[in-house]
Amino acid sequence: MAEQTAPLQRAGEPADGSVITADAKPDAAVVRDALGVGIAVGLSGFAFGVTSAGSGLSLLQTCALSLLVFTGASQFALVGALAAGGNPYTAAAGAFFLGVRNSFYGLRLSQLLALPRAVRPFAAHWVIDETTAVTLPQPTRRAARIGFTVTGLTLYVLWNLTTLVGALGAEALGDTDAWGLDAASPAVFLALLAPMLKTTTQRVTAGLAVVLALGLLPVLPAGVPVLVSALAAPVVLFVMGRGMGPVPKDEKHAKDEKHAKDTKVAKVAKDTRTITSEDDR
Amino acid sequence: MNVWIAISLTTVGCYLAKLLGLLVPAGALERPLVQRLAALLPVALLAALTAQQTFGDGQQLVLDARAAGLAAAALALVLRAPFLVVVGAAVVVTAGVRALG
């Protein structure tokens, strides 16, 4: 997209008025993008509510997860591990490892948004796949802030409402398996995973993780096989070592590139965007 | 009680992970090796979770309607369907296969 090529260091400068060129993006367009992602993903909180309640969590526990954890893959992983009989520590560890990627989103976002220190602890709760995917490509700081806020707010409100509805509805649905709702969680994981399978390294990692997870499932306690599967990442990195090009670490250079996408985090986030927003336009 | 322990740990862990990124000076987590690992870790975990929740039943491996549902989701992804359609396809096909079976 052409509007992504604007140098980010111009963001937020008063020169905005004089640069209404292809670089500028109307607020309404940013809001529309943000709403598209926020609403589409927010509605899938219903699947989480049903899955969580179907896994035996109470209404309060289910809603607490969406309100307090608010990072979908971790939530699904946690209830999946608990439903499979995992102990709370391995279940939480698996959910946490999935949440670690948000740290890397935050690194990029903190530069783009330049939030006051006092605001960061609150903004942190919204640092997830979708807000990152919407925020990173914005051409200006103003657009980035609007994108982040609108996506975060829409998604947070909808995700929690639909979680509640799903959890309440789970009982009315009776046997949720008969409705096929036990397939929702692996489908969510697959949708998040698919855009990350671009390189050989990524595919080999995924393949090895699947082999480990399924191979160890019958022999290790519930929850542990997934944690062991995470080792596929360092193992493949070690073995394939120099297979991937170096990741530029100099931010100033990255800003001057055509896109910010040459950093890994930006790439992952951008890819997430392809499943959440591009097709909705 | 176990569930609340898991919820508390996940809440604190995931929040700190998010906050860390916003507070840490750029550079600390920008080493290439750390970045690559961070990019690959979700790949491994998501692949493992997808496989396990499709083919796992307790500690047993099973092949049931969920596999058909996941195949439908994969097809939807290949066709670049939106997020909700992908999840919906998995649910509908799984339910359909069970209803027929």
Side-chain angles (χ1 to χ4, degrees):
Chain A
M1 286 180 289
E3 70 267 24
Q4 290 172 14
T5 61
L8 290 163
Q9 53 263 63
R10 268 188 213 155
E13 284 183 12
D16 273 5
S18 63
V19 207
I20 301 185
T21 58
D23 287 351
K25 187 171 179 181
D27 291 352
V30 181
V31 170
R32 197 187 57 226
D33 286 359
L35 285 178
V37 173
I39 291 172
V41 181
L43 289 178
S44 57
F46 180 79
F48 173 73
V50 171
T51 302
S52 179
S55 301
L57 272 72
S58 70
L59 181 68
L60 189 60
Q61 289 167 336
T62 299
C63 289
L65 277 173
S66 279
L67 285 166
L68 301 175
V69 176
F70 189 56
T71 173
S74 293
Q75 294 177 226
F76 271 112
L78 187 72
V79 298
L82 291 173
N87 78 54
Y89 303 102
T90 50
F96 169 71
F97 282 140
L98 269 178
V100 166
R101 71 189 186 289
N102 293 328
S103 295
F104 291 84
Y105 297 160
L107 266 186
R108 299 281 303 144
L109 291 179
S110 75
Q111 290 157 358
L112 292 183
L113 299 172
L115 297 170
R117 288 220 151 236
V119 176
R120 291 183 190 190
F122 302 99
H125 202 39
W126 288 355
V127 174
I128 53 172
D129 296 308
E130 292 80 10
T131 49
T132 308
V134 171
T135 306
L136 286 189
Q138 300 303 337
T140 62
R141 176 154 297 147
R142 175 182 168 81
R145 285 180 171 174
I146 293 173
F148 179 83
T149 308
V150 173
T151 310
L153 184 65
T154 314
L155 192 43
Y156 191 71
V157 170
L158 268 183
W159 178 261
N160 279 289
L161 282 178
T162 52
T163 294
L164 177 64
V165 172
L168 289 172
E171 284 195 29
L173 289 173
D175 179 10
T176 53
D177 284 3
W179 295 85
L181 285 162
D182 52 338
S185 149
V188 168
F189 291 136
L190 187 67
L192 290 171
L193 172 66
M196 298 183 189
L197 297 179
K198 291 259 161 67
T199 68
T200 309
T201 308
Q202 291 162 334
R203 289 177 182 162
V204 171
T205 303
L208 179 59
V210 167
V211 170
L212 286 171
L214 294 184
L216 296 174
L217 183 70
V219 291
L220 289 181
V224 180
V226 169
L227 292 187
V228 177
S229 303
L231 290 176
V235 167
V236 170
L237 266 190
F238 180 75
V239 173
M240 302 189 70
R242 299 165 193 281
M244 288 165 70
V247 178
K249 55 180 174 184
D250 188 342
E251 262 312 303
K252 284 169 195 134
H253 288 166
K255 282 177 185 172
D256 290 336
E257 300 282 347
K258 265 189 100 181
H259 294 253
K261 74 177 176 189
D262 36 14
T263 70
K264 278 271 138 320
V265 177
K267 186 169 188 313
V268 171
K270 239 183 94 57
D271 291 342
T272 309
R273 179 188 179 82
T274 59
I275 56 163
T276 53
S277 81
E278 258 177 27
D279 307 299
D280 297 337
R281 286 179 199 170
Chain B
M1 193 58 217
N2 274 354
V3 174
W4 281 116
I5 293 174
I7 291 174
S8 309
L9 292 175
T10 307
T11 297
V12 173
C14 286
Y15 178 74
L16 290 181
K18 294 173 181 173
L19 187 62
L20 182 74
L22 285 185
L23 293 186
V24 157
L29 295 178
E30 294 254 335
R31 268 180 296 171
L33 185 66
V34 178
Q35 287 240 333
R36 283 190 205 168
L37 196 56
L40 266 192
L41 210 53
V43 172
L45 284 166
L46 289 170
L49 286 164
T50 306
Q52 201 165 89
Q53 301 208 348
T54 305
F55 301 108
D57 183 10
Q59 282 206 290
Q60 288 187 319
L61 294 177
V62 294
L63 186 64
D64 63 17
R66 286 172 298 174
L70 198 74
L75 181 64
L77 281 169
V78 169
L79 297 175
R80 305 181 61 80
F83 190 85
L84 267 184
V85 174
V86 173
V87 178
V91 169
V92 168
V93 168
T94 303
V97 170
R98 287 212 177 105
L100 293 173

